[in-house]
Amino acid sequence: IGSTLSSTFGGPAVGWTCGYFAVASGLIVLRLRRVLVLAGTTVIVINFALIAALLGLLAGHVERDLLTAMPVAQWREPEVLAPVFGTLVCVYAGFAGLAGLVAPAMRADPSGRSLVRGVVYNNTVSTAIYAVWVVVTLGSTPPAAYLTEGAAGISVMAQTAGPAAGLVGTAFVVVAMGMAGLTLSFALADLVVE
């Protein structure tokens, strides 16, 4: 988050990161979980809209040559495998927050079937979204550009699809990663209490 905000708005990345953690810590200390729960649905809708907008901006630039440019042997290289592994970890990172949902879900459905069904639906949809995201971003932007670009590669997308992609990408990083960080912080606090 800090690197993306720094590259978009200027200032040191460390300052942006410290500011984010100050806000997150304040929310945890003040126990403003209800603010996040009430805003959660809105944030999810905003995130889907931002993802759809980014995919729409980048989809027109997908080139088959970019998707097939990398030999399969290079997929075993650590610098190529790390982002793929990171993306998969993001799909399953939501399980840390599951501890806070078990009690309300079990009150609503004592059999637990709704909870299991919800987890399966969540992973199916998340995996599908990430798969489309990887294909569109790798098919529309040159992979070598990500080696020199830090953060989330927003400037690479902006170079490919224009300044609108840079603005939408920055908004996505702030909203999605900020909300994910806060959600995981509350989940860890719940696990410590439990």
Side-chain angles (χ1 to χ4, degrees):
I1 293 175
S3 299
T4 301
L5 289 173
S6 175
S7 68
T8 303
F9 299 112
V14 172
W16 287 105
T17 303
C18 290
Y20 164 76
F21 280 114
V23 170
S25 300
L27 289 173
I28 290 170
V29 168
L30 296 173
R31 303 291 292 169
L32 293 177
R33 176 188 313 274
R34 289 186 182 175
V35 171
L36 290 176
V37 171
L38 293 173
T41 304
T42 305
V43 170
I44 289 169
V45 171
I46 290 170
N47 282 338
F48 279 128
L50 291 171
I51 289 171
L54 270 174
L55 288 173
L57 289 168
L58 292 171
H61 301 279
V62 173
E63 299 175 17
R64 185 169 188 216
D65 293 341
L66 289 173
L67 288 172
T68 59
M70 187 180 300
V72 175
Q74 285 186 351
W75 281 97
R76 295 185 189 135
E77 300 295 324
E79 61 271 0
V80 174
L81 194 57
V84 173
F85 180 74
T87 301
L88 291 175
V89 168
C90 286
V91 171
Y92 299 109
F95 284 115
L98 194 58
L101 298 174
V102 171
M106 293 305 286
R107 279 193 297 273
D109 179 14
S111 71
R113 288 189 178 122
S114 297
L115 181 64
V116 172
R117 202 174 302 125
V119 169
V120 170
Y121 291 155
N122 174 54
N123 282 339
T124 303
V125 170
S126 297
T127 303
I129 289 171
Y130 281 121
V132 171
W133 177 261
V134 167
V135 169
V136 170
T137 55
L138 289 180
S140 61
T141 56
Y146 290 101
L147 296 176
T148 58
E149 173 64 29
I154 301 301
S155 65
V156 175
M157 293 179 205
Q159 290 170 358
T160 302
L167 287 172
V168 173
T170 300
F172 174 71
V173 168
V174 171
V175 173
M177 297 304 151
M179 188 67 182
L182 290 173
T183 303
L184 288 174
S185 297
F186 277 117
L188 290 174
D190 286 344
L191 291 173
V192 168
V193 168
E194 198 172 302

